[in-house]
PDB file of all heavy atoms in Angstrom:
ATOM      1  N   GLY E 880     -12.827 -30.990  -5.909  1.00  0.00           N
ATOM      2  CA  GLY E 880     -12.056 -29.881  -5.318  1.00  0.00           C
ATOM      3  C   GLY E 880     -12.945 -28.815  -4.764  1.00  0.00           C
ATOM      4  O   GLY E 880     -14.029 -29.018  -4.365  1.00  0.00           O
ATOM      5  N   LEU E 881     -12.365 -27.605  -4.780  1.00  0.00           N
ATOM      6  CA  LEU E 881     -12.975 -26.374  -4.284  1.00  0.00           C
ATOM      7  C   LEU E 881     -13.703 -25.551  -5.398  1.00  0.00           C
ATOM      8  O   LEU E 881     -12.996 -25.074  -6.263  1.00  0.00           O
ATOM      9  CB  LEU E 881     -11.959 -25.583  -3.527  1.00  0.00           C
ATOM     10  CG  LEU E 881     -12.429 -24.358  -2.691  1.00  0.00           C
ATOM     11  CD1 LEU E 881     -13.386 -24.737  -1.637  1.00  0.00           C
ATOM     12  CD2 LEU E 881     -11.206 -23.608  -2.145  1.00  0.00           C
ATOM     13  N   ARG E 882     -15.042 -25.541  -5.343  1.00  0.00           N
ATOM     14  CA  ARG E 882     -15.692 -24.780  -6.331  1.00  0.00           C
ATOM     15  C   ARG E 882     -15.926 -23.333  -5.995  1.00  0.00           C
ATOM     16  O   ARG E 882     -16.196 -22.973  -4.821  1.00  0.00           O
ATOM     17  CB  ARG E 882     -17.084 -25.422  -6.507  1.00  0.00           C
ATOM     18  CG  ARG E 882     -17.181 -26.782  -7.276  1.00  0.00           C
ATOM     19  CD  ARG E 882     -18.562 -27.169  -7.526  1.00  0.00           C
ATOM     20  NE  ARG E 882     -18.644 -28.388  -8.216  1.00  0.00           N
ATOM     21  CZ  ARG E 882     -18.535 -28.575  -9.528  1.00  0.00           C
ATOM     22  NH1 ARG E 882     -18.278 -27.513 -10.289  1.00  0.00           N
ATOM     23  NH2 ARG E 882     -18.616 -29.752 -10.107  1.00  0.00           N
ATOM     24  N   LEU E 883     -15.730 -22.434  -6.919  1.00  0.00           N
ATOM     25  CA  LEU E 883     -15.913 -21.009  -6.665  1.00  0.00           C
ATOM     26  C   LEU E 883     -17.262 -20.674  -6.381  1.00  0.00           C
ATOM     27  O   LEU E 883     -17.639 -19.873  -5.501  1.00  0.00           O
ATOM     28  CB  LEU E 883     -15.322 -20.177  -7.865  1.00  0.00           C
ATOM     29  CG  LEU E 883     -15.492 -18.693  -7.702  1.00  0.00           C
ATOM     30  CD1 LEU E 883     -14.735 -18.173  -6.529  1.00  0.00           C
ATOM     31  CD2 LEU E 883     -15.070 -18.017  -9.025  1.00  0.00           C
ATOM     32  N   PHE E 884     -18.216 -21.207  -7.137  1.00  0.00           N
ATOM     33  CA  PHE E 884     -19.586 -20.740  -7.130  1.00  0.00           C
ATOM     34  C   PHE E 884     -20.548 -21.652  -6.229  1.00  0.00           C
ATOM     35  O   PHE E 884     -21.772 -21.491  -6.370  1.00  0.00           O
ATOM     36  CB  PHE E 884     -20.192 -20.647  -8.533  1.00  0.00           C
ATOM     37  CG  PHE E 884     -19.414 -19.640  -9.417  1.00  0.00           C
ATOM     38  CD1 PHE E 884     -18.582 -20.144 -10.419  1.00  0.00           C
ATOM     39  CD2 PHE E 884     -19.366 -18.284  -9.173  1.00  0.00           C
ATOM     40  CE1 PHE E 884     -17.924 -19.258 -11.237  1.00  0.00           C
ATOM     41  CE2 PHE E 884     -18.688 -17.456  -9.905  1.00  0.00           C
ATOM     42  CZ  PHE E 884     -17.968 -17.934 -10.983  1.00  0.00           C
ATOM     43  N   GLU E 885     -19.937 -22.483  -5.415  1.00  0.00           N
ATOM     44  CA  GLU E 885     -20.793 -23.325  -4.504  1.00  0.00           C
ATOM     45  C   GLU E 885     -21.647 -22.466  -3.646  1.00  0.00           C
ATOM     46  O   GLU E 885     -21.271 -21.574  -2.996  1.00  0.00           O
ATOM     47  CB  GLU E 885     -19.844 -24.139  -3.648  1.00  0.00           C
ATOM     48  CG  GLU E 885     -20.539 -25.267  -2.895  1.00  0.00           C
ATOM     49  CD  GLU E 885     -20.751 -26.496  -3.928  1.00  0.00           C
ATOM     50  OE1 GLU E 885     -19.842 -26.797  -4.664  1.00  0.00           O
ATOM     51  OE2 GLU E 885     -21.802 -27.004  -3.811  1.00  0.00           O
ATOM     52  N   GLY E 886     -23.039 -22.787  -3.771  1.00  0.00           N
ATOM     53  CA  GLY E 886     -24.011 -22.157  -2.863  1.00  0.00           C
ATOM     54  C   GLY E 886     -24.368 -20.735  -3.132  1.00  0.00           C
ATOM     55  O   GLY E 886     -25.071 -20.078  -2.357  1.00  0.00           O
ATOM     56  N   LEU E 887     -24.019 -20.300  -4.344  1.00  0.00           N
ATOM     57  CA  LEU E 887     -24.396 -18.858  -4.698  1.00  0.00           C
ATOM     58  C   LEU E 887     -25.605 -18.720  -5.505  1.00  0.00           C
ATOM     59  O   LEU E 887     -26.022 -17.632  -5.849  1.00  0.00           O
ATOM     60  CB  LEU E 887     -23.236 -18.194  -5.485  1.00  0.00           C
ATOM     61  CG  LEU E 887     -21.929 -17.927  -4.689  1.00  0.00           C
ATOM     62  CD1 LEU E 887     -20.860 -17.376  -5.645  1.00  0.00           C
ATOM     63  CD2 LEU E 887     -22.222 -16.930  -3.592  1.00  0.00           C
ATOM     64  N   GLY E 888     -26.404 -19.762  -5.781  1.00  0.00           N
ATOM     65  CA  GLY E 888     -27.534 -19.710  -6.627  1.00  0.00           C
ATOM     66  C   GLY E 888     -28.542 -18.702  -6.112  1.00  0.00           C
ATOM     67  O   GLY E 888     -29.225 -17.940  -6.890  1.00  0.00           O
ATOM     68  N   ALA E 889     -28.767 -18.682  -4.831  1.00  0.00           N
ATOM     69  CA  ALA E 889     -29.848 -17.826  -4.217  1.00  0.00           C
ATOM     70  C   ALA E 889     -29.501 -16.314  -4.420  1.00  0.00           C
ATOM     71  O   ALA E 889     -30.432 -15.505  -4.494  1.00  0.00           O
ATOM     72  CB  ALA E 889     -30.070 -18.207  -2.750  1.00  0.00           C
ATOM     73  N   GLY E 890     -28.234 -16.035  -4.481  1.00  0.00           N
ATOM     74  CA  GLY E 890     -27.918 -14.611  -4.670  1.00  0.00           C
ATOM     75  C   GLY E 890     -27.482 -14.236  -6.125  1.00  0.00           C
ATOM     76  O   GLY E 890     -26.653 -13.447  -6.320  1.00  0.00           O
ATOM     77  N   ARG E 891     -28.076 -14.921  -7.126  1.00  0.00           N
ATOM     78  CA  ARG E 891     -27.648 -14.794  -8.436  1.00  0.00           C
ATOM     79  C   ARG E 891     -27.840 -13.278  -8.925  1.00  0.00           C
ATOM     80  O   ARG E 891     -28.802 -12.730  -8.633  1.00  0.00           O
ATOM     81  CB  ARG E 891     -28.436 -15.651  -9.327  1.00  0.00           C
ATOM     82  CG  ARG E 891     -28.061 -15.624 -10.774  1.00  0.00           C
ATOM     83  CD  ARG E 891     -28.897 -16.540 -11.589  1.00  0.00           C
ATOM     84  NE  ARG E 891     -30.305 -16.238 -11.671  1.00  0.00           N
ATOM     85  CZ  ARG E 891     -30.844 -15.261 -12.483  1.00  0.00           C
ATOM     86  NH1 ARG E 891     -30.042 -14.638 -13.312  1.00  0.00           N
ATOM     87  NH2 ARG E 891     -32.067 -15.015 -12.408  1.00  0.00           N
ATOM     88  N   ARG E 892     -26.788 -12.805  -9.615  1.00  0.00           N
ATOM     89  CA  ARG E 892     -26.888 -11.457 -10.227  1.00  0.00           C
ATOM     90  C   ARG E 892     -26.569 -11.743 -11.744  1.00  0.00           C
ATOM     91  O   ARG E 892     -25.814 -12.620 -12.115  1.00  0.00           O
ATOM     92  CB  ARG E 892     -25.862 -10.572  -9.626  1.00  0.00           C
ATOM     93  CG  ARG E 892     -26.058 -10.269  -8.199  1.00  0.00           C
ATOM     94  CD  ARG E 892     -24.804  -9.618  -7.532  1.00  0.00           C
ATOM     95  NE  ARG E 892     -24.547  -8.334  -8.117  1.00  0.00           N
ATOM     96  CZ  ARG E 892     -23.449  -7.752  -8.087  1.00  0.00           C
ATOM     97  NH1 ARG E 892     -22.382  -8.298  -7.535  1.00  0.00           N
ATOM     98  NH2 ARG E 892     -23.243  -6.550  -8.663  1.00  0.00           N
ATOM     99  N   ASP E 893     -27.107 -10.697 -12.544  1.00  0.00           N
ATOM    100  CA  ASP E 893     -26.900 -10.836 -14.001  1.00  0.00           C
ATOM    101  C   ASP E 893     -25.446 -10.375 -14.343  1.00  0.00           C
ATOM    102  O   ASP E 893     -24.970  -9.376 -13.785  1.00  0.00           O
ATOM    103  CB  ASP E 893     -27.880 -10.063 -14.711  1.00  0.00           C
ATOM    104  CG  ASP E 893     -29.309 -10.688 -14.660  1.00  0.00           C
ATOM    105  OD1 ASP E 893     -29.409 -11.895 -14.491  1.00  0.00           O
ATOM    106  OD2 ASP E 893     -30.264  -9.875 -14.600  1.00  0.00           O
ATOM    107  N   LEU E 894     -24.855 -11.074 -15.273  1.00  0.00           N
ATOM    108  CA  LEU E 894     -23.494 -10.752 -15.690  1.00  0.00           C
ATOM    109  C   LEU E 894     -23.525 -10.305 -17.180  1.00  0.00           C
ATOM    110  O   LEU E 894     -24.256 -10.913 -18.003  1.00  0.00           O
ATOM    111  CB  LEU E 894     -22.627 -11.941 -15.594  1.00  0.00           C
ATOM    112  CG  LEU E 894     -22.266 -12.321 -14.121  1.00  0.00           C
ATOM    113  CD1 LEU E 894     -21.616 -13.787 -14.145  1.00  0.00           C
ATOM    114  CD2 LEU E 894     -21.235 -11.386 -13.570  1.00  0.00           C
ATOM    115  N   GLU E 895     -22.637  -9.340 -17.428  1.00  0.00           N
ATOM    116  CA  GLU E 895     -22.372  -8.879 -18.862  1.00  0.00           C
ATOM    117  C   GLU E 895     -20.960  -9.329 -19.240  1.00  0.00           C
ATOM    118  O   GLU E 895     -19.997  -8.932 -18.569  1.00  0.00           O
ATOM    119  CB  GLU E 895     -22.582  -7.474 -19.010  1.00  0.00           C
ATOM    120  CG  GLU E 895     -22.242  -6.876 -20.423  1.00  0.00           C
ATOM    121  CD  GLU E 895     -22.146  -5.374 -20.443  1.00  0.00           C
ATOM    122  OE1 GLU E 895     -22.325  -4.738 -19.416  1.00  0.00           O
ATOM    123  OE2 GLU E 895     -21.918  -4.904 -21.516  1.00  0.00           O
ATOM    124  N   LEU E 896     -20.789 -10.085 -20.293  1.00  0.00           N
ATOM    125  CA  LEU E 896     -19.555 -10.436 -20.774  1.00  0.00           C
ATOM    126  C   LEU E 896     -18.936  -9.345 -21.541  1.00  0.00           C
ATOM    127  O   LEU E 896     -19.509  -8.852 -22.512  1.00  0.00           O
ATOM    128  CB  LEU E 896     -19.602 -11.730 -21.717  1.00  0.00           C
ATOM    129  CG  LEU E 896     -18.315 -12.211 -22.270  1.00  0.00           C
ATOM    130  CD1 LEU E 896     -17.410 -12.712 -21.217  1.00  0.00           C
ATOM    131  CD2 LEU E 896     -18.676 -13.383 -23.219  1.00  0.00           C
ATOM    132  N   VAL E 897     -17.845  -8.834 -21.078  1.00  0.00           N
ATOM    133  CA  VAL E 897     -17.276  -7.593 -21.682  1.00  0.00           C
ATOM    134  C   VAL E 897     -15.945  -7.851 -22.484  1.00  0.00           C
ATOM    135  O   VAL E 897     -15.503  -6.994 -23.218  1.00  0.00           O
ATOM    136  CB  VAL E 897     -16.992  -6.533 -20.607  1.00  0.00           C
ATOM    137  CG1 VAL E 897     -18.344  -6.028 -20.023  1.00  0.00           C
ATOM    138  CG2 VAL E 897     -16.041  -6.921 -19.544  1.00  0.00           C
ATOM    139  N   ARG E 898     -15.332  -9.055 -22.194  1.00  0.00           N
ATOM    140  CA  ARG E 898     -14.085  -9.338 -23.048  1.00  0.00           C
ATOM    141  C   ARG E 898     -13.819 -10.873 -22.980  1.00  0.00           C
ATOM    142  O   ARG E 898     -13.982 -11.474 -21.945  1.00  0.00           O
ATOM    143  CB  ARG E 898     -12.980  -8.606 -22.420  1.00  0.00           C
ATOM    144  CG  ARG E 898     -11.605  -8.844 -23.199  1.00  0.00           C
ATOM    145  CD  ARG E 898     -10.480  -7.912 -22.704  1.00  0.00           C
ATOM    146  NE  ARG E 898     -10.026  -8.347 -21.405  1.00  0.00           N
ATOM    147  CZ  ARG E 898      -9.167  -7.688 -20.610  1.00  0.00           C
ATOM    148  NH1 ARG E 898      -8.713  -6.518 -21.092  1.00  0.00           N
ATOM    149  NH2 ARG E 898      -8.770  -8.134 -19.467  1.00  0.00           N
ATOM    150  N   VAL E 899     -13.392 -11.370 -24.118  1.00  0.00           N
ATOM    151  CA  VAL E 899     -12.961 -12.717 -24.252  1.00  0.00           C
ATOM    152  C   VAL E 899     -11.635 -12.770 -24.959  1.00  0.00           C
ATOM    153  O   VAL E 899     -11.466 -12.182 -26.062  1.00  0.00           O
ATOM    154  CB  VAL E 899     -13.966 -13.607 -25.043  1.00  0.00           C
ATOM    155  CG1 VAL E 899     -13.387 -15.118 -25.111  1.00  0.00           C
ATOM    156  CG2 VAL E 899     -15.279 -13.635 -24.407  1.00  0.00           C
ATOM    157  N   VAL E 900     -10.539 -13.349 -24.302  1.00  0.00           N
ATOM    158  CA  VAL E 900      -9.281 -13.486 -24.892  1.00  0.00           C
ATOM    159  C   VAL E 900      -8.909 -14.998 -24.819  1.00  0.00           C
ATOM    160  O   VAL E 900      -8.785 -15.504 -23.811  1.00  0.00           O
ATOM    161  CB  VAL E 900      -8.218 -12.658 -24.204  1.00  0.00           C
ATOM    162  CG1 VAL E 900      -6.839 -12.855 -24.876  1.00  0.00           C
ATOM    163  CG2 VAL E 900      -8.614 -11.180 -24.165  1.00  0.00           C
ATOM    164  N   GLU E 901      -8.727 -15.559 -25.988  1.00  0.00           N
ATOM    165  CA  GLU E 901      -8.367 -17.019 -26.022  1.00  0.00           C
ATOM    166  C   GLU E 901      -6.859 -17.109 -26.315  1.00  0.00           C
ATOM    167  O   GLU E 901      -6.312 -16.524 -27.288  1.00  0.00           O
ATOM    168  CB  GLU E 901      -9.178 -17.674 -27.116  1.00  0.00           C
ATOM    169  CG  GLU E 901     -10.601 -17.706 -26.833  1.00  0.00           C
ATOM    170  CD  GLU E 901     -11.344 -18.443 -28.008  1.00  0.00           C
ATOM    171  OE1 GLU E 901     -11.023 -19.647 -28.279  1.00  0.00           O
ATOM    172  OE2 GLU E 901     -12.267 -17.833 -28.556  1.00  0.00           O
ATOM    173  N   THR E 902      -6.095 -17.995 -25.529  1.00  0.00           N
ATOM    174  CA  THR E 902      -4.754 -18.304 -25.823  1.00  0.00           C
ATOM    175  C   THR E 902      -4.583 -19.868 -25.625  1.00  0.00           C
ATOM    176  O   THR E 902      -5.486 -20.454 -25.007  1.00  0.00           O
ATOM    177  CB  THR E 902      -3.825 -17.519 -24.868  1.00  0.00           C
ATOM    178  OG1 THR E 902      -3.868 -18.145 -23.571  1.00  0.00           O
ATOM    179  CG2 THR E 902      -4.250 -16.058 -24.663  1.00  0.00           C
ATOM    180  N   PRO E 903      -3.474 -20.357 -25.950  1.00  0.00           N
ATOM    181  CA  PRO E 903      -3.217 -21.834 -25.735  1.00  0.00           C
ATOM    182  C   PRO E 903      -3.268 -22.166 -24.223  1.00  0.00           C
ATOM    183  O   PRO E 903      -3.544 -23.344 -23.902  1.00  0.00           O
ATOM    184  CB  PRO E 903      -1.865 -22.051 -26.317  1.00  0.00           C
ATOM    185  CG  PRO E 903      -1.759 -20.988 -27.391  1.00  0.00           C
ATOM    186  CD  PRO E 903      -2.398 -19.761 -26.842  1.00  0.00           C
ATOM    187  N   LEU E 904      -3.013 -21.194 -23.381  1.00  0.00           N
ATOM    188  CA  LEU E 904      -2.841 -21.465 -21.911  1.00  0.00           C
ATOM    189  C   LEU E 904      -4.191 -21.385 -21.163  1.00  0.00           C
ATOM    190  O   LEU E 904      -4.412 -22.139 -20.252  1.00  0.00           O
ATOM    191  CB  LEU E 904      -1.842 -20.468 -21.275  1.00  0.00           C
ATOM    192  CG  LEU E 904      -0.422 -20.641 -21.744  1.00  0.00           C
ATOM    193  CD1 LEU E 904       0.466 -19.537 -21.008  1.00  0.00           C
ATOM    194  CD2 LEU E 904       0.136 -21.969 -21.530  1.00  0.00           C
ATOM    195  N   ALA E 905      -5.083 -20.406 -21.640  1.00  0.00           N
ATOM    196  CA  ALA E 905      -6.332 -20.219 -20.949  1.00  0.00           C
ATOM    197  C   ALA E 905      -7.251 -19.429 -21.812  1.00  0.00           C
ATOM    198  O   ALA E 905      -6.788 -18.693 -22.734  1.00  0.00           O
ATOM    199  CB  ALA E 905      -6.088 -19.498 -19.562  1.00  0.00           C
ATOM    200  N   THR E 906      -8.504 -19.434 -21.448  1.00  0.00           N
ATOM    201  CA  THR E 906      -9.473 -18.525 -22.011  1.00  0.00           C
ATOM    202  C   THR E 906      -9.824 -17.524 -20.889  1.00  0.00           C
ATOM    203  O   THR E 906     -10.362 -17.912 -19.854  1.00  0.00           O
ATOM    204  CB  THR E 906     -10.778 -19.275 -22.498  1.00  0.00           C
ATOM    205  OG1 THR E 906     -10.392 -20.296 -23.498  1.00  0.00           O
ATOM    206  CG2 THR E 906     -11.841 -18.282 -23.085  1.00  0.00           C
TER     207      THR E 906
END
Side-chain angles (χ1 to χ4, degrees):
L881 187 60
R882 288 188 180 275
L883 176 61
F884 299 111
E885 193 76 43
L887 286 177
R891 183 179 64 83
R892 297 167 61 200
D893 291 331
L894 288 165
E895 175 191 2
L896 181 63
V897 296
R898 184 173 69 188
V899 179
V900 178
E901 297 180 53
T902 77
L904 297 179
T906 300

